[in-house]
């Protein structure tokens, strides 16, 4: 049997629960000032959360000056902007193509963005004694 809940019922269930701490890793620019499907979805999610205040979001995304300015309006979302080196991104893609040719079965290679986010979380200097209840990852090319 499939249960369908209206948005208001769904929100009431979350109001009963303790406020969740959710981490989101998006390899795009959020808020979605340049568009993008995932970026727009994440932006919609954090905008709705501003209205209902159900979660504390920590969002890891690419740095953009305009996006950083706009993000200051969100009170229930902490933005962690990752600066990307253009040279490294080109090098990473070339390295990925070579490794894919050598091992067509699929070698998993983490990119610079994923490694930077992992290091920030590992160091845990920003999130002392605070763990994520959920972590959502957009891996991009993987």
């Amino acid at each position: 049997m499939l249960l369908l809940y209206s948005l208001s019922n769904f929100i009431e269930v979350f109001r009963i629960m303790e406020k969740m701490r959710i981490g989101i890793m998006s390899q795009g620019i959020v808020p979605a000032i340049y568009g993008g499907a995932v970026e727009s979805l994440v932006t919609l999610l954090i905008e709705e959360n501003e209205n209902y205040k159900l979660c504390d979001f920590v969002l890891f995304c690419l740095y953009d000056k305009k996006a950083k300015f706009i993000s200051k309006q969100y009170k229930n979302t902490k933005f962690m902007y990752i600066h990307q080196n253009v040279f490294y991104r080109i090098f990473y893609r070339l390295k990925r193509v070579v490794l894919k040719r050598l091992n067509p079965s699929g070698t998993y290679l983490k990119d610079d963005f994923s490694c930077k986010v992992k290091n920030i979380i590992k160091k845990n200097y920003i999130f002392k004694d605070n763990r994520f209840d959920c972590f959502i990852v957009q891996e991009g090319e993987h």
Side-chain angles (χ1 to χ4, degrees):
M1 183 170 116
L2 180 65
L3 291 174
L4 297 175
Y5 287 99
S6 68
L7 182 59
S8 61
N9 288 343
F10 186 72
I11 290 168
E12 287 305 314
V13 169
F14 268 96
R15 285 191 194 278
I16 295 168
M17 296 171 56
E18 185 178 321
K19 202 170 189 183
M20 292 182 67
R21 183 175 181 83
I22 300 174
I24 300 174
M25 184 178 94
S26 172
Q27 293 192 8
I29 296 170
V30 179
I33 55 177
Y34 302 114
V38 174
E39 293 81 4
S40 297
L41 182 63
V42 172
T43 302
L44 180 65
L45 184 64
I46 62 176
E47 285 174 353
E48 285 298 311
N49 190 51
E50 288 299 309
N51 295 332
Y52 297 107
K53 298 170 182 57
L54 299 176
C55 305
D56 286 326
F57 286 113
V58 179
L59 180 61
F60 299 88
C61 57
L62 291 177
Y63 174 80
D64 182 81
K65 188 175 181 179
K66 189 175 176 183
K68 186 172 184 175
F69 178 76
I70 294 171
S71 69
K72 292 178 183 176
Q73 71 184 8
Y74 300 106
K75 305 299 180 210
N76 295 309
T77 303
K78 182 178 180 91
F79 288 84
M80 302 298 301
Y81 286 105
I82 309 294
H83 293 266
Q84 279 282 41
N85 182 341
V86 176
F87 172 76
Y88 185 84
R89 288 185 79 170
I90 293 169
F91 172 74
Y92 161 75
R93 289 186 185 189
L94 288 172
K95 187 176 178 182
R96 185 172 167 80
V97 167
V98 170
L99 286 175
K100 203 164 197 164
R101 297 264 180 181
L102 294 174
N103 186 5
S105 64
T107 301
Y108 180 77
L109 176 66
K110 290 188 178 183
D111 64 347
D112 185 43
F113 183 84
S114 300
C115 292
K116 284 182 180 181
V117 170
K118 185 177 177 184
N119 287 336
I120 289 171
I121 294 170
K122 233 182 188 178
K123 287 179 184 175
N124 208 17
Y125 63 89
I126 296 170
F127 314 112
K128 288 282 186 208
D129 300 324
N130 290 319
R131 300 284 181 214
F132 293 109
D133 295 312
C134 177
F135 202 89
I136 303 166
V137 178
Q138 178 214 351
E139 280 293 333
E141 299 177 21
H142 303 301

